[in-house]
Amino acid sequence: MLLELAIRNFAIIRDLRLTFHPGLNALTGETGAGKSIIIDALSAVLGARVSADFVRTGASGAWVEAVFDVRNLAEREDFRALLAETGVEPEDGTLILTRDISAAGRSAARINGRTVTASTLAQFGSLLVDIHGQSEHLSLLRPSLHVDLLDRYAGTLAERERFAALVHEYHQTRRQIDQIVADERERAHRMDLLRFQVEEITAANLHPDEEAELEHERLVLGNAERLARLAAETYQLLEGADDTGPAPVSGALDQIRLAVERIEELARVDATNEPLASQLREALILLEDVAHGVRVYAEEVEGDPERLAEVEDRLALLKQLKRKYGATIAEVIAYGEQAAQELHDLDTSEQRAEELRYRAATLLQQIAEQGARLTERRRAACGELEQAVEQAIAELNMGRARFVVDLRPLTSGTVARLPDDDGRDGPTLTFDQTGLDRVEFLIAPNAGETPRPLARIASGGETARLMLALKSILSAADATPTLVFDEVDVGVGGRSGQPVGEKLWSLTDQHQVIVISHLPQIAAFAEAHYRITKSEHDGRTETRIERLDDDARIDELAAMLDGLPVTAASRQNAQEMLARIEQWKRQSGRIPATTR
């Protein structure tokens, strides 16, 4: 419900804070006092279009803030989905919507201090408040919403959600089929390219570490003679020249062996040198191993021009593949695997398309069957809804008006042909996410007239009362928590004021209701009564509002009944009217919202 509405520098409102209550809230006052401006401000904070014209003269900007208790919306799927989509989080079950309007014409929107777009503000606003009056926001005048209201009344929302899931899967399946068969020529070209790439990579017989190994082998083969010479020289330096030479040369190892003999003799005399002797013996063993190793290396390394050419060719191939398919051999291998998978998918796409076509046909049959059941349930509810609304209209002293729920097959949406028993195209089926039906509410305000769409009703006041009649019937189905009726009593005399007030008060079973009224018979039903006045302050016109206590309320109702000045007789009439309405409320069996 709407808890507070704060307005600053909006039109002729300088600074205003309004606290609303559960049940029926009535706003009354003289024409031009600013009642419609309060509705304009509320519309602005609910995401309606705004302009600099709303900014109070001389002010740099206008500001509107609305505080909502949204705890009762926590279980609504559409509300939870919107919170998840926008990232907005209620704080202690409260949402604070704010709209700033600069004198330059720019506006800013926030929810709980977080900046959002005006469209996001409007999304939340549409779930929180429904404004009914002689302006926009008349949700019941939008035929696209009539199917929602009928489904809520008929109790078919869950069935419709299951139907919508089928439609969603059907569209996904059709998109997959279209993607497969969209361009056969392009698919063939793609398969040729992939086949060549897979064959080229497969023929190369790659493994990830190959390139590094080949680079090393090329380095050795290209420097074989030098490497053999360096290894031989190293061996000679360690072991000395060959004994068969004319002048044998002693190597480093001979000297170290001699040193080992000397230090071992030293250690035998002075045992403290044994650790040094041990270290030198170990060094000798290590150097002997090195000498053996370089000798073997020198004997094995040799030039091989043919193998070097093979290595060069292989490296050139790897370079070419990397240029085409990846920065490393591992990436080339991965590309080949991906290409092979894509080729397989494309090669089997026709089979996949057939499977998808079969699935689409099955879904279409299910859509037809479930859609027909949904239509049947809706049709069964139409008559009940028509009778209930016509009774409500009669109770509002609007004569013998006819109300019709026009339920007919859709003429726009997704069009598909159902398969017949032989698998060929059968009858055409038209549907959308809501079902197979187009739903529109029609009204004939006077006996003998042809029912017409609600949007074509000429009288604004008549439209507002028709909305009230519908709301009284659909109140349990309408999930919008706060309903605002702007001048619902236009064209209504005192004789019809009582039933209009009864209807408004009956809506408080399911909603918070705010009504702007000129009729005391309506205002007297309110649990909270506010008086709007206009006055001058420092040469400027300002709108003020106050909640009336019992005595002030009697004076306001008396003035509405008999004008000013208020007399004892008019006060007596006001008191009697309040007493009569309180008695009616008690007899109605309903519990006032303020005491629930």
Side-chain angles (χ1 to χ4, degrees), residues 145-187:
L145 297 181
H146 294 176
V147 66
D148 297 339
L149 292 170
L150 177 60
D151 282 336
R152 287 194 178 105
Y153 182 81
T156 52
L157 283 176
E159 186 173 345
R160 196 179 91 181
E161 288 178 3
R162 292 192 292 270
F163 179 88
L166 285 176
V167 173
H168 178 69
E169 185 180 353
Y170 173 79
H171 286 314
Q172 281 190 320
T173 304
R174 287 302 319 174
R175 281 193 292 269
Q176 292 179 58
I177 295 171
D178 293 342
Q179 185 176 0
I180 290 173
V181 301
D183 192 341
E184 288 294 335
R185 180 179 299 178
E186 178 62 29
R187 188 168 72 91

Side-chain angles (χ1 to χ4, degrees), residues 290-406:
V290 171
H292 177 73
V294 296
R295 180 175 181 175
V296 171
Y297 182 82
E299 292 173 349
E300 291 180 349
V301 68
E302 61 179 343
D304 188 344
E306 291 183 3
R307 176 55 186 165
L308 180 59
E310 291 175 1
V311 170
E312 293 284 4
D313 291 343
R314 182 66 175 174
L315 286 170
L317 174 61
L318 298 183
K319 183 177 181 181
Q320 180 184 11
L321 293 174
K322 288 196 301 179
R323 187 170 62 249
K324 290 182 178 181
Y325 306 118
T328 65
I329 296 301
E331 290 183 13
V332 174
I333 294 171
Y335 182 91
E337 293 171 350
Q338 294 168 6
Q341 182 61 51
E342 184 180 352
L343 180 61
H344 176 269
D345 293 342
L346 290 173
D347 199 31
T348 59
S349 60
E350 188 56 40
Q351 177 184 347
R352 175 62 176 160
E354 285 302 317
E355 294 172 354
L356 290 170
R357 289 189 187 98
Y358 178 80
R359 178 58 182 161
T362 302
L363 288 168
L364 202 58
Q365 190 64 45
Q366 292 175 346
I367 287 170
E369 294 170 358
Q370 291 198 23
R373 288 195 293 270
L374 185 57
T375 298
E376 185 178 351
R377 290 192 61 187
R378 286 170 174 168
R379 196 176 302 282
C382 286
E384 297 177 8
L385 179 58
E386 289 170 348
Q387 292 179 12
V389 173
E390 287 178 359
Q391 180 180 347
I393 289 173
E395 292 171 354
L396 289 170
N397 294 341
M398 293 181 62
R400 295 172 56 195
R402 280 187 62 209
F403 177 79
V404 176
V405 180
D406 185 21

Side-chain angles (χ1 to χ4, degrees), residues 119-145:
S119 61
T120 298
L121 199 67
Q123 285 180 283
F124 277 96
S126 66
L127 297 180
L128 296 169
V129 179
D130 204 352
I131 300 179
H132 296 260
Q134 300 177 61
S135 60
E136 51 190 358
H137 301 295
L138 287 171
S139 62
L140 290 178
L141 294 187
R142 299 199 295 269
S144 61
L145 297 181

